[in-house]
Amino acid sequence: MNKECFCEVDCDKKTDAAKFAIFAWEAGKIPRGLMQLETLRGNSTNPQTFDFPIIIERIPGACAETVIQNPSPLVLKSMINRAQELQKMGIKGITTSCGFNAIFQKEISKTVKIPFFSSSLLQIPYIRAVYGNKRDIIIFTARKANLRQEHFFATGTTDMSNLHLYGMKEESKEWLKMNTHFDANIDIEVLKKDFVRLAKKALNEHPDAVAFLFECTDMPPFSQLVRDTVGLPVYDFVTMTRYFYNAVCCAL
């Protein structure tokens, strides 16, 4: 793998017809720092992240305020309407560019017949099944204060024991810039160091952990760095999306 690209993909394998769609925030409502992260392979809205074609669907009104801070019924309605339209167009699966869309998981998934997978939090029951229900899992999120029980409940996790949350906003001054200064540039090299430092800290505090889970869809560009640092699996948006794609679309 090319570690500068952060993602194990072969872009030559892309085909012409997209089968998966990604619901993303409205253009113009994305902080400059997040736009920098979108240039990295591994990010949810970078088409080069995947070895299959995707389409990016920007949802009117979707932003940090309407998805994370105060989930909007109007944004939810727009997502439902667009999901139904995409299903009619032949799209085989829909995901999102923000793990906090977990709050909408049940409402949207019941309105379509194709898989809708809002957040990498959906992988927690799977991780527990393969490693044992009472094993420690370390979860990185963009902001710990915003990740509530409702997000876990909506994605199939009702037992919060042995889940250890760490927020990048709380732990990284560089990540915090994206929340406090809309037009601020971020230093990717500093972020790399922050991920390494936090991964070591988290594992030191929970030495029996069996896996890391990155809730935020902007974190997969750093997943391999953490795998190499701590020697544990890292489950993220990319592992989830590839799993669904292989189940739905991949033919050997």
Side-chain angles (χ1 to χ4, degrees):
M1 182 187 73
N2 183 341
K3 293 189 178 182
E4 288 305 310
C5 292
F6 299 100
C7 189
E8 299 172 284
V9 297
D10 180 359
C11 294
D12 293 334
K13 294 181 181 179
K14 293 184 182 295
T15 61
D16 294 329
K19 298 293 194 298
F20 271 47
I22 299 176
F23 285 167
W25 288 358
E26 181 179 343
K29 296 181 180 292
I30 306 167
R32 183 186 298 273
L34 286 184
M35 293 178 67
Q36 286 180 256
L37 292 180
E38 288 183 357
T39 67
L40 302 178
R41 291 176 71 184
N43 188 278
S44 63
T45 52
N46 185 338
Q48 290 189 337
T49 291
F50 308 100
D51 53 358
F52 49 86
I54 62 168
I55 57 174
I56 304 296
E57 291 283 326
R58 298 208 172 270
I59 304 299
C63 61
E65 169 65 27
T66 59
V67 172
I68 300 174
Q69 298 164 19
N70 297 293
S72 166
L74 294 177
V75 169
L76 171 59
K77 183 178 180 180
S78 294
M79 288 185 178
I80 289 173
N81 290 340
R82 191 55 182 152
Q84 293 172 339
E85 292 170 354
L86 289 168
Q87 178 177 256
K88 292 178 182 177
M89 292 166 54
I91 291 296
K92 301 300 183 182
I94 302 170
T95 185
T96 81
S97 70
C98 178
F100 285 99
N101 282 302
I103 204 73
F104 301 135
Q105 175 65 38
K106 291 183 178 180
E107 286 84 354
I108 297 177
S109 62
K110 68 183 180 183
T111 68
V112 290
K113 293 183 179 180
I114 58 177
F116 172 75
F117 43 107
S118 60
S119 172
S120 61
L121 296 177
L122 287 160
Q123 296 171 104
I124 294 174
Y126 169 80
I127 298 170
R128 283 179 160 171
V130 298
Y131 291 101
N133 194 49
K134 297 301 180 183
R135 308 294 287 277
D136 290 338
I137 302 171
I138 295 169
I139 299 174
F140 281 11
T141 181
R143 185 186 183 193
K144 180 179 177 180
N146 288 132
L147 192 57
R148 306 186 302 275
Q149 283 190 343
E150 294 94 317
H151 295 98
F152 290 89
F153 291 176
T155 49
T157 297
T158 55
D159 180 1
M160 299 296 293
S161 62
N162 301 98
L163 301 178
H164 308 289
L165 275 59
Y166 291 84
M168 287 301 293
K169 180 177 180 180
E170 291 89 349
E171 300 281 353
S172 167
K173 292 181 179 179
E174 203 64 28
W175 191 280
L176 179 63
K177 287 181 183 178
M178 294 185 286
N179 297 93
T180 56
H181 303 288
F182 189 86
D183 293 319
N185 288 313
I186 58 172
D187 190 322
I188 301 298
E189 294 303 314
V190 171
L191 273 186
K192 290 181 187 178
K193 294 177 182 178
D194 286 346
F195 270 94
V196 168
R197 174 182 52 78
L198 184 56
K200 290 179 177 178
K201 172 185 173 180
L203 193 57
N204 182 62
E205 293 176 351
H206 306 285
D208 294 327
V210 294
F212 281 70
L213 175 79
F214 286 0
E215 171 272 329
C216 179
T217 60
D218 295 302
M219 291 182 179
F222 307 97
S223 292
Q224 192 59 43
L225 184 63
V226 171
R227 291 184 188 105
D228 292 341
T229 297
V230 299
L232 288 179
V234 177
Y235 295 84
D236 58 25
F237 171 84
V238 176
T239 64
M240 176 184 66
T241 305
R242 287 178 177 167
Y243 176 88
F244 275 100
Y245 178 83
N246 288 339
V248 173
C249 299
C250 187
L252 297 177

